[in-house]
Amino acid sequence: MKKTLVAALSGGAALMLALTGCSDDGNKKLDDWAKKFCDPAQAQFKKIQDANTSMQTADSGGTDSKKVQQADSKAFQQISGAYASLAKSLDQAGAPPADGGEESQKNAVKELNDLSKGYGDLKKQVDGLDTGDKGKFADGLRTLSDGINKLNKKSEQAFKKLESGDVGKAMAGQSGCQNQKATEGAGSAGPKK
């Protein structure tokens, strides 16, 4: 029941991890821009990972549906807030000094805000699930995972544009974005359940 939901959430974390690539020491202005985004973003990446982890551990198979619902609701709220903060950080960092940087940054900010709203909507949906009937609850969680998959696919294109070329290389050189590689394996732990 939770396997699909956690796998879908891992996709969102993987999307944020995609902001890393190979490091390059080439462009000082670009490196400064990446630092401006990556330093405050690090805490938000951790919040998203922590929320994903809390949902993975909330359901040990026999866990009460109400407890799973509460854990998922809290996690969705945390993820929603993290994406809103990432949008704000990216907005404050400004456009990266690269070809098409302004458009890529604008699109990525919009997508992060859309993700924040989407996870806020998922929180409302999980809060409204019937925990008295395990079958209905499981069906509700499956519907939520479909919604998460749609959110992840929707935002992927804007991030691909933002992270392309020298911008992605500059971001990979910043510890705030680099450290997320260490947690990449944690996101893929979901399907083991």
Side-chain angles (χ1 to χ4, degrees), residues 166-183:
D166 292 338
V167 176
K169 290 176 185 176
M171 292 172 79
Q174 299 303 315
S175 62
C177 288
Q178 261 182 357
N179 291 345
Q180 298 315 303
K181 286 186 173 188
T183 60

Side-chain angles (χ1 to χ4, degrees), residues 116-161:
S116 175
K117 182 185 179 314
Y119 278 98
D121 290 344
L122 289 174
K123 179 199 180 310
K124 291 175 191 167
Q125 289 174 36
V126 80
D127 288 346
L129 291 179
D130 179 1
T131 57
D133 182 327
K134 281 198 180 263
K136 283 183 182 178
F137 185 68
D139 288 344
L141 289 179
R142 274 190 284 279
T143 301
L144 290 178
S145 70
D146 290 343
I148 293 165
N149 285 328
K150 286 177 185 171
L151 284 174
N152 291 339
K153 286 176 186 173
K154 182 179 175 191
S155 63
E156 196 170 330
Q157 285 306 113
F159 281 108
K160 281 184 179 177
K161 288 178 187 169

